[in-house]
Amino acid sequence: MFFVKKMIMALLGRGFFYPVSVSAVENIGEDFCVVEMHGEALKKVSWNPGEKMKIRIGKRRERSYTPLLVDRDEGKAKFVIYLHHKGPGSNWASNLKIGDACYLSESRKSLSFTPSEEGCIFFGDETTIGVAYALKSAQKNTGSFTFVFEVSSLSSAQQVLERLNMKNSKLVLKNKENSHLVDVQKILSQEISKGINPQLVLMGNSQSMIKIRNGLISLGFPTSQCKMKSYWSSR
Ligand SMILES: Cc1cc2nc3c(=O)[nH]c(=O)nc-3n(C[C@H](O)[C@H](O)[C@H](O)COP(=O)(O)OP(=O)(O)OC[C@H]3O[C@@H](n4cnc5c(N)ncnc54)[C@H](O)[C@@H]3O)c2cc1C
């Protein structure tokens, strides 16, 4: 009895996944792919830009990804996936083909953020290009976005950002010692000083986000203006 209850709770905890199929795969260089999925359930899904979905990448495995867009009329969702080549999610995405069956979860809140008129300075990495695009596309009467990404390859990131019409983003090349974060902090400080009370969003790698946040706090930036959401962490 206890075992059955545990199984049901585990299933409920993992939530409901509905079937979709891959309708397009666009490989952008070696490090990114844009994947389009279609399914009847996507015609009814409730999704707000910036929210994530979980995708089944194997029998008992799922990973979080952020739709670039969800088109309920067409029952379609699109994702940009970073192929870091170090994990099952990345390997799953690099082998996707048109017609492959997939399972998506309901949309779930990820970053609690409402763009303001004062504008937003966004720091992230390759995994956050999708959420950056979704937030930018949703911006209507609010202030502008400035995007700063730390990346492992400038040329790969430029390619995908150009494809998504975000080529004005600022890129900083990562290094093993993380000394590039000094440059990131300089850029962010300059951008902050240009605006009046801008919001700051830090996303992506948790270690980078924490270093940047601590650096900016030591320069007097108010934590109340800073939203954070970790997408992955270096192990
Ligand atoms: C809410 C949310 C939304 C997300 N949206 C997106 C999205 O839209 N697009 C996207 O590409 N990713 C997105 N991610 C990040 C993605 O889920 C993680 O990168 C995840 O770890 C990938 O799973 P994996 O199986 O490839 O690697 P894992 O099995 O999780 O990790 C395997 C190894 O790879 C390393 N690793 C994981 N991610 C990276 C990375 N980015 N760079 C270098 N090494 C890495 C880990 O440290 C570990 O050593 C999102 C994450 C969250 C939490």
Side-chain angles (χ1 to χ4, degrees), residues 52 63-66 80 82 84 86 88-90 127 231-233:
K52 67 165 182 186
R63 291 289 184 270
S64 296
Y65 293 101
T66 313
V80 60
Y82 175 49
H84 56 83
K86 289 185 207 148
S90 164
T127 62
Y231 269 18
W232 69 283
S233 97

Side-chain angles (χ1 to χ4, degrees), residues 50-114:
E51 289 182 355
K52 67 165 182 186
M53 289 179 182
K54 288 206 171 210
I55 308 183
R56 280 234 171 108
I57 58 155
K59 247 189 168 180
R60 287 210 171 76
R61 276 192 178 141
E62 56 230 24
R63 291 289 184 270
S64 296
Y65 293 101
T66 313
L68 290 169
L69 60 88
V70 173
D71 182 335
R72 280 170 39 124
D73 293 337
E74 291 194 27
K76 174 175 96 176
K78 261 189 182 187
F79 300 85
V80 60
I81 300 184
Y82 175 49
L83 309 174
H84 56 83
H85 309 290
K86 289 185 207 148
S90 164
N91 296 340
W92 164 85
S94 52
N95 288 312
L96 282 175
K97 304 177 299 304
I98 293 178
D100 282 354
C102 289
Y103 290 87
L104 291 182
S105 74
E106 298 286 335
S107 170
R108 294 178 195 165
K109 273 211 175 350
S110 172
L111 174 76
S112 168
F113 166 74
T114 317

